[in-house]
Amino acid sequence: MRKHLKYAFYFVAVAWFSLAKAGAYEDFFIAVNRDDDRTVAQLLARGFDPNSRDPKGQTGLILVLRDSSPRVAEALWKSPQLDVNVENANGETALMMAALRGELEWVRRLLERGARVHKEGWSPIHYAATGPEVKTVALLLERGAPVEALSPGKDTPLMMAARYGAEGSVDLLLARGASAAAKNERNLDAIDMARNGGRDFLVGRLEKSVKR
């Protein structure tokens, strides 16, 4: 009888722990979405993993940088367990998201905490070149990001800047030696990318760099 009671207690305890863990998981991502730093801080203090991914494979840190949730971002930042290099389901890191959003100060903070400035495939410099902040591109280049980094489809940062990014990012990448003649797997170069993006105002300077 005692043996059966012991097993029954064990299974009840396991079931309770599982439910509590599931509840914490849901509460965490609801709080992240609402920029509810108090709830996040309480969950982290109780041992919740700050590197957990939501059902779509997104980490809390990437979500708050993507959605501009500054209070939760600071709460997560205070956690010693936070791993700034954890990737989401798409292979993106927090540094890539901060770079894409043009969050220069967060890019600096992430680098100081050990964020990898480069990764094979899509990399932070691609995301920075796509984004609105030239200083983010400059900072990553200063920290060693390769100017001719290649995406899985052989896109370069200059191609991304020509199609989507800041005009100044195009100028900066050209000044750092980026090639406007390099082709991706679709046989497109930075000039083609600018034209395809309706950014004919960039074509002249890109063509000029090829003729030098």
Side-chain angles (χ1 to χ4, degrees), residues 1-9:
M1 181 67 177
R2 289 180 179 176
K3 186 176 181 180
H4 290 309
L5 287 173
K6 180 179 179 181
Y7 283 127
F9 176 79

Side-chain angles (χ1 to χ4, degrees), residues 189-206:
D189 58 23
I191 299 168
D192 298 320
M193 297 286 273
R195 285 198 177 109
N196 291 345
R199 311 182 83 194
D200 291 342
F201 62 93
L202 293 173
V203 171
R205 75 190 70 176
L206 289 165

Side-chain angles (χ1 to χ4, degrees), residues 108-126:
R108 286 198 181 104
R109 292 174 71 177
L110 288 161
L111 289 170
E112 289 170 1
R113 193 155 172 169
R116 290 190 294 271
V117 72
H118 178 65
K119 62 192 288 290
E120 294 303 312
W122 289 111
S123 66
I125 191 65
H126 286 105

Side-chain angles (χ1 to χ4, degrees), residues 61 77 79-80 82-87 93-96 105-119 124 139-140 143:
L61 184 58
W77 196 251
S79 172
L82 183 69
D83 183 349
V84 297
N85 288 308
V86 171
E87 298 180 3
T93 63
L95 180 59
M96 293 165 76
E105 184 56 34
W106 272 105
V107 169
R108 286 198 181 104
R109 292 174 71 177
L110 288 161
L111 289 170
E112 289 170 1
R113 193 155 172 169
R116 290 190 294 271
V117 72
H118 178 65
K119 62 192 288 290
L139 178 58
L140 292 179
R143 298 297 180 90

Side-chain angles (χ1 to χ4, degrees), residues 178-192:
S179 172
K183 301 278 189 178
N184 63 17
E185 287 188 348
R186 293 172 292 159
N187 201 37
L188 301 175
D189 58 23
I191 299 168
D192 298 320

